[in-house]
Amino acid sequence: MATENPFDSILKTLEKPGGGEFGKYYSLPALDDARIDKLPYSIKILLESAIRNCDEFQVKSKDVEKIIDWENTSPKQVEIPFKPARVLLQDFTGVPAVVDLACMRDAMNNLGGNSNKINPLVPVDLVIDHSVQVDVARSENAVQANMELEFKRNKERFAFLKWGSNAFDNMLVVPPGSGIVHQVNLEYLGRVVFNTNGVLYPDSVVGTDSHTTMIDGLGVAGWGVGGIEAEAAMLGQPMSMVLPGVVGFKLLGKLRDGVTATDLVLTVTQILRKHGVVGKFVEFYGEGMSELSLADRATIANMSPEYGATMGFFPVDHVTLQYLRLTGRSDETIAMIESYLRANKMFVDYSEPQTEKVYSSYLELKLEDVEPCISGPKRPHDRVPLKEMKADWHACLDNRVGFKGFAIPKESQNKVAKFSFRGTPAELRHGDVVIAAITSCTNTSNPSVMLGAALVAKKACELGLEVRPWIKTSLAPGSGVVTKYLQKSGLQKYFNQLGFHIVGYGCTTCIGNSGDIDESVASAISENDMVAAAVLSGNRNFEGRVHPLTRANYLASPPLVVAYALAGTVEIDFATEPIGTGKDGKEVFFKDIWPSSEEVADVVQLSVLPDMFKATYEAITKGNPMWNQLSVPLSILYSWDPKSTYIHEPPYFKGMTMSPPGPHGVKDAYCLLNFGDSITTDHISPAGSIHKDSPAAKYLMEHGVDRRDFNSYGSRRGNDEIMARGTFANIRIVNKLLKGEVGPKTIHIPTGEKLSVYDVAMRYKAAGQDTIILAGAEYGSGSSRDWAAKGPMLLGVKAVIAKSFERIHRSNLVGMGIIPLCFKAGEDADTLGLTGHERYTIDLPNTVNEIRPGQDVTVATDCGKSFTCTVRFDTEVELAYFNHGGILQYVIRNLIGSKQ
């Protein structure tokens, strides 16, 4: 195994302007290759990583050449290795990642290996977020009450992560209550350029949340991967990826007055969805870039999963450097970043002539063409211009059930559900808002839209408008910095007056943690079959995600969230209809409460200051009293508590030997579930509340857990018993085997019984019978949850046959030893006449030499039908993972067998 880097000859010294040196770096210009100048900036980051890590073993010279020749090689789907500079975890995926690391140490011990080798080899930043349940809203003490509740519920989980920060080297844990992982990453963790042992190199990151892409707004290459893939990267394994195409997206001009970054990102999302960018990088450039603040860029970058790209990248320029100063990075650090990137021709200086970059395809948007809009009612890329919203809503009521339809009969569309709210008569109609939440990393990193929303609240309060008391309002900033600038501006009191109290710092409504709505409202919705609405400033609005009782969910800018909360309904034309009646008895219109861009810019200028960022993140490093008081053992190996309902040792390495099982097909498998298009990871692995009648609830009650302490599926990801029972437990899931019935059940084919998915899966497992899943297009879209692959594996699923897969989910399935197969173009289960009642045999070659990436295989059924599918092992490395039974088993065997 070679250890010397063949590119050491281009290792140069970067000198400081005033004398001395910053460190050494691998110089791309020193290669003297004209092809490099034309490379997109995002590809240069892949190139530098390959050069710096080249050892002719894990990363080879020929890999470097593939990247340099990107213009010719990228259309050919060539495979390259990539070693990110660091890994980012949040607690929902951080807990199972640390569980897996602890398990791997045990497995290494059992196989006679050195368990100390199981240590992150790259920096791991673990941010405890996604834990804010909005159980306390509309009160001044909401933050403290929620924090106390979260520590009470999650003490064991938090203590486990604190143990991990001590037990594993190279792991930084940011305590709970600090902020949303992506905003903390942007404001604090992002290095832009690393200096490790005197060697400088670009920051790059893979994270266990698909919205890791938010960091691309800072010029840091980052994207979401599955937890299992992240764990391998932590352990020094190169990520195998297909060298991506890059879509060049040119921005021109500037946004019109009153148009927000959210309007822009929903427009960009729709354009890129239509263009088709799955598996590609998107790189933004053009004169319009200078008009976009860093926060606006981060808002666009964050939404990459919604438009389907691996990342939406904004190269480093003067705007980036200004943001680094604003967020409290030191002058010396900023000088080092600028000097390094200029020396390596990775800095964009718009005052200089621009070298024309080559892109795979080109798009262009004039920013002045962007208009106010929202997205919904069920998908983030279904954009609706604000002026068309009322007409679109009426169409949704009429349309058949689907992404844009609820099929409400004409005679029922004007139904009024009367109820009593805390002793006061109240009414509910279709389209009435019951949840209005300013939440999610997409927007809470952006002072313009946050302060814009506060100005809307101020104007509304001054005119005497109020929010109906039964609408559940909440404000969940991404970091404590937001609280500081809202207080500095004097605007928080207006948010409070309308019920938008700060409930905590983390993901809330966007991930289903809105908590219960009032029982009287819930009854009015359920008993009258009302299509109630939620309006949130999030990035995901898939069915069943926001709240089980809100069938219509709209994504909107924070100012629009406030406007819709005041209106109380989505059935309104803001251009012609009043939002409400003011204290003077006059009608108040949208234009009366909407601030100008100049008003917003003035407040931002006066209120957002560098000292706020420094103070906020100094507090993070010191922790908080509740975190500091957690006592944890100092042992290297974890002592598993068999009674724990939060942390449980999973069975992944049970019976593992040093010999890989090798490739294998599937014989006479039953169909566990038969799905249509757009089955998301929220359908497969819901992160929200645990339904009282679910198998997970039954398990918890059997283990003495009171219903009020169930917590969420997401918070219990460290227990495989819960997540196996929670897999496919979304109450809105549509399984064709149920013939129109909606819910988390399926048919046990041999007996015809209808049971929960978990119970049917356990019957098949007990009988030694394999199962497969049939699906349509975009299977596994949504959040990059490793449990969406771990859960099916625990249920005994051996293969998924779909029209197409979301990138991260397909990779996760491979990592758990599940075979992903795609129907041939133009075919699916319906066109092939498959009902799901057949038994399926997948004829996969059973020797390593015969199986190859992307080959065709035959799937035969017991009713005589056969069809051809493409096996979606996309790289040789993925084949190796499958041969080993999964990525973690592969890593363990490699570590034991290596001579390092």
Side-chain angles (χ1 to χ4, degrees):
M1 178 169 55
T3 53
E4 283 190 16
N5 190 324
F7 292 96
D8 279 349
S9 60
I10 61 166
L11 198 58
K12 305 292 182 186
T13 299
L14 185 66
E15 296 181 354
K16 294 181 179 179
E21 60 182 62
F22 287 116
K24 297 191 179 300
Y25 70 103
Y26 286 90
S27 169
L28 302 186
L31 286 172
D32 195 23
D33 192 320
R35 292 174 296 176
I36 295 175
D37 287 340
K38 295 195 293 181
L39 289 178
Y41 291 95
S42 48
I43 298 299
K44 283 186 178 182
I45 293 176
L46 302 183
L47 174 60
E48 190 283 337
S49 174
I51 287 171
R52 177 168 35 87
N53 290 295
C54 187
D55 60 0
E56 300 297 6
F57 176 63
Q58 288 186 325
V59 183
K60 300 179 180 179
S61 298
K62 65 181 183 182
D63 297 316
V64 172
E65 171 57 26
K66 286 178 191 173
I67 303 173
I68 292 175
D69 199 34
W70 170 85
E71 189 177 350
N72 297 312
T73 53
S74 61
K76 299 174 183 173
Q77 295 284 292
V78 302
E79 176 190 351
I80 62 160
F82 175 59
K83 286 195 170 189
R86 62 189 171 101
V87 171
L88 182 69
L89 307 174
Q90 42 77 258
D91 65 329
F92 273 15
T93 44
V95 170
V98 178
V99 164
D100 289 352
L101 288 173
C103 277
M104 290 173 79
R105 275 198 173 158
D106 291 345
M108 284 278 276
N109 253 10
N110 295 337
L111 290 168
N114 179 1
S115 64
N116 284 329
K117 277 190 174 183
I118 305 292
N119 251 324
L121 296 181
V122 299
V124 175
D125 299 323
L126 197 162
V127 181
I128 302 179
D129 78 340
H130 284 233
S131 56
V132 182
Q133 282 270 359
V134 190
D135 290 313
V136 186
R138 288 208 173 192
S139 70
E140 296 286 356
N141 68 343
V143 172
Q144 185 62 24
N146 267 316
M147 180 65 81
E148 288 171 1
L149 184 65
E150 288 307 314
F151 263 87
K152 181 185 173 188
R153 283 176 169 170
N154 299 304
K155 184 177 179 181
E156 183 184 350
R157 193 163 58 97
F158 293 166
F160 176 67
L161 291 176
K162 193 172 181 181
W163 166 81
S165 69
N166 296 326
F168 297 101
D169 296 336
N170 229 2
M171 185 180 286
L172 168 71
V173 175
V174 177
S178 304
I180 295 172
V181 57
H182 313 302
Q183 192 159 343
V184 174
N185 193 23
L186 191 76
E187 295 175 354
Y188 178 64
L189 297 172
R191 279 73 153 182
V192 186
V193 173
F194 265 91
N195 187 343
T196 304
N197 300 323
V199 177
L200 307 173
Y201 52 96
D203 188 3
S204 58
V205 59
V206 292
T208 52
D209 189 293
S210 49
H211 290 113
T212 300
T213 54
M214 185 163 164
I215 199 66
D216 300 323
L218 195 67
V220 174
W223 59 86
V225 295
I228 32 203
E229 200 174 358
E231 289 163 29
M234 284 158 47
L235 294 164
Q237 294 297 308
M239 288 174 47
S240 177
M241 61 184 288
V242 173
L243 187 60
V246 183
V247 178
F249 200 130
K250 191 173 189 177
L251 299 174
L252 301 167
K254 63 184 293 186
L255 293 172
R256 287 183 287 133
D257 189 45
V259 176
T260 68
T262 315
D263 301 322
L264 171 59
V265 75
L266 294 178
T267 304
V268 167
T269 299
Q270 188 180 46
I271 291 169
L272 288 170
R273 268 279 173 190
K274 185 177 179 183
H275 183 72
V277 292
V278 172
K280 296 175 184 174
F281 290 174
V282 177
E283 187 165 292
F284 293 89
Y285 70 106
E287 64 189 55
M289 291 279 279
S290 60
E291 297 294 335
L292 286 184
S293 70
L294 198 291
D296 289 352
R297 297 174 182 192
T299 307
I300 296 170
N302 185 299
M303 291 284 275
S304 296
E306 280 65 52
Y307 45 81
T310 302
M311 66 174 180
F313 187 73
F314 291 81
V316 176
D317 60 13
H318 287 103
V319 174
T320 321
L321 301 181
Q322 288 166 9
Y323 182 81
L324 293 172
R325 288 189 189 93
L326 172 67
T327 50
R329 271 78 161 195
S330 71
D331 290 341
E332 184 172 356
T333 297
I334 295 167
M336 180 265 289
I337 289 169
E338 183 176 3
S339 296
Y340 168 78
L341 293 174
R342 282 186 181 275
N344 238 353
K345 294 193 175 179
M346 299 167 89
F347 184 87
V348 183
D349 190 333
Y350 292 105
S351 67
E352 298 175 352
Q354 299 297 300
T355 304
E356 192 69 27
K357 302 297 178 189
V358 173
Y359 294 110
S360 308
S361 60
Y362 298 80
L363 289 170
E364 185 174 294
L365 174 65
K366 293 177 181 175
L367 295 177
E368 57 265 30
D369 291 344
V370 176
E371 58 183 327
C373 57
I374 65 176
S375 278
K378 303 181 186 183
R379 294 191 302 186
H381 49 284
D382 290 334
R383 186 180 69 92
V384 186
L386 205 58
K387 62 190 179 189
E388 298 172 15
M389 180 56 196
K390 186 172 182 177
D392 192 81
W393 172 252
H394 286 158
C396 286
L397 289 178
D398 289 333
N399 293 345
R400 64 184 180 84
V401 173
F403 297 123
K404 295 289 289 185
F406 298 104
I408 303 298
K410 282 284 187 192
E411 62 272 16
S412 303
Q413 290 184 8
N414 295 317
K415 182 197 287 187
V416 178
K418 296 182 182 295
F419 65 102
S420 175
F421 181 78
R422 297 174 188 170
T424 304
E427 295 180 348
L428 203 65
R429 293 173 171 81
H430 291 301
D432 276 5
V433 175
V434 296
I435 291 174
I438 299 174
T439 177
S440 151
C441 45
T442 305
N443 289 293
T444 62
S445 66
N446 195 324
S448 295
V449 292
M450 296 300 285
L451 288 166
L455 285 172
V456 170
K458 177 177 185 286
K459 291 171 185 281
C461 289
E462 289 172 346
L463 290 168
L465 297 184
E466 296 178 346
V467 175
R468 292 169 188 168
W470 59 81
I471 297 177
K472 186 157 193 178
T473 47
S474 61
L475 169 59
S479 82
V481 176
V482 181
T483 299
K484 288 182 171 63
Y485 64 64
L486 284 172
Q487 290 171 341
K488 167 79 174 169
S489 67
L491 295 172
Q492 179 63 51
K493 63 184 179 184
Y494 301 108
F495 266 148
N496 293 348
Q497 197 172 322
L498 295 183
F500 287 93
H501 293 280
I502 293 178
V503 296
Y505 304 97
C507 291
T508 54
T509 304
C510 190
I511 200 168
N513 281 352
S514 57
D516 293 333
I517 54 179
D518 189 89
E519 203 170 303
S520 63
V521 181
S523 297
I525 295 170
S526 301
E527 291 167 10
N528 295 279
D529 196 26
M530 304 304 290
V531 183
V535 182
L536 63 152
S537 66
N539 40 31
R540 297 266 164 82
N541 56 340
F542 301 120
E543 282 186 287
R545 178 183 174 103
V546 173
H547 193 282
L549 293 177
T550 58
R551 283 155 68 187
N553 301 286
Y554 286 95
L555 306 183
S557 66
L560 278 176
V561 171
V562 178
Y564 274 109
L566 291 163
T569 179
V570 297
E571 187 185 9
I572 183 171
D573 181 349
F574 281 139
T576 61
E577 297 177 287
I579 281 180
T581 304
K583 57 189 175 187
D584 58 2
K586 293 181 180 177
E587 292 181 332
V588 177
F589 288 83
F590 181 78
K591 61 182 173 57
D592 300 325
I593 62 170
W594 199 257
S596 68
S597 298
E598 189 176 355
E599 283 180 88
V600 175
D602 288 345
V603 177
V604 171
Q605 185 72 28
L606 292 170
S607 308
V608 185
L609 306 171
D611 285 349
M612 296 176 177
F613 292 89
K614 288 179 181 175
T616 298
Y617 289 109
E618 278 172 7
I620 278 181
T621 57
K622 293 171 186 171
N624 58 52
M626 286 182 276
W627 173 261
N628 293 338
Q629 287 163 18
L630 288 174
S631 60
V632 297
L634 298 176
S635 57
I636 292 295
L637 296 176
Y638 188 70
S639 299
W640 303 98
D641 178 2
K643 297 176 186 171
S644 172
T645 57
Y646 274 105
I647 310 296
H648 185 262
E649 184 177 13
Y652 309 140
F653 308 111
K654 197 174 178 181
M656 179 181 168
T657 66
M658 280 299 291
S659 300
H664 48 278
V666 178
K667 187 170 177 60
D668 290 332
Y670 284 101
C671 177
L672 181 63
L673 295 144
N674 183 4
F675 292 131
D677 295 342
S678 295
I679 291 295
T680 71
T681 50
D682 286 291
H683 292 115
I684 306 167
S685 56
S689 58
I690 297 172
H691 194 273
K692 60 182 174 59
D693 298 322
S694 65
K698 183 181 176 185
Y699 172 89
L700 288 172
M701 287 187 285
E702 287 172 352
H703 285 74
V705 179
D706 192 270
R707 186 185 165 192
R708 67 184 174 198
D709 295 321
F710 278 4
N711 214 330
S712 65
Y713 280 117
S715 65
R716 291 189 179 273
R717 279 190 193 177
N719 187 330
D720 57 287
E721 296 282 1
I722 297 290
M723 287 313 300
R725 289 163 171 79
T727 304
F728 302 111
N730 186 305
I731 64 166
R732 295 284 175 203
I733 204 162
V734 178
N735 170 18
K736 293 179 187 177
L737 291 176
L738 296 182
K739 300 189 182 303
E741 185 181 336
V742 176
K745 293 190 175 182
T746 195
I747 302 297
H748 181 246
I749 304 297
T751 62
E753 288 182 80
K754 180 172 68 177
L755 303 164
S756 73
V757 175
Y758 174 78
D759 288 337
V760 170
M762 290 305 102
R763 277 204 187 179
Y764 286 132
K765 277 193 91 169
Q769 295 161 334
D770 290 341
T771 54
I772 61 112
I773 289 169
L774 295 174
E778 297 178 336
Y779 182 78
S781 56
S783 303
S784 53
R785 296 187 189 144
D786 56 331
W787 269 112
K790 288 178 176 175
M793 184 277 289
L794 291 167
L795 294 182
V797 174
K798 301 301 181 186
V800 179
I801 310 174
K803 286 174 73 175
S804 63
F805 291 92
E806 191 275 339
R807 177 183 62 86
I808 300 171
H809 184 63
R810 185 204 60 78
S811 172
N812 280 345
L813 289 174
V814 175
M816 293 313 297
I818 295 174
I819 307 167
L821 301 111
C822 277
F823 290 108
K824 286 297 182 181
E827 294 184 348
D828 59 21
D830 291 341
T831 62
L832 291 167
L834 304 173
T835 65
H837 287 262
E838 308 85 358
R839 296 186 75 171
Y840 294 80
T841 295
I842 301 167
D843 185 19
L844 207 65
N846 57 10
T847 63
V848 177
N849 295 332
E850 291 179 16
I851 189 168
R852 62 188 187 278
Q855 76 182 80
D856 286 348
V857 297
T858 299
V859 180
T861 67
D862 62 338
C863 62
K865 288 181 182 173
S866 291
F867 54 98
T868 302
C869 284
T870 302
V871 179
R872 288 296 309 280
F873 299 128
D874 288 0
T875 65
E876 295 289 348
V877 171
E878 287 188 344
L879 274 177
Y881 294 158
F882 180 67
N883 294 340
H884 279 259
I887 193 171
L888 301 181
Q889 292 85 344
Y890 171 86
V891 169
I892 288 174
R893 291 188 182 104
N894 265 21
L895 284 173
I896 293 176
S898 72
K899 298 180 175 63
Q900 296 175 353

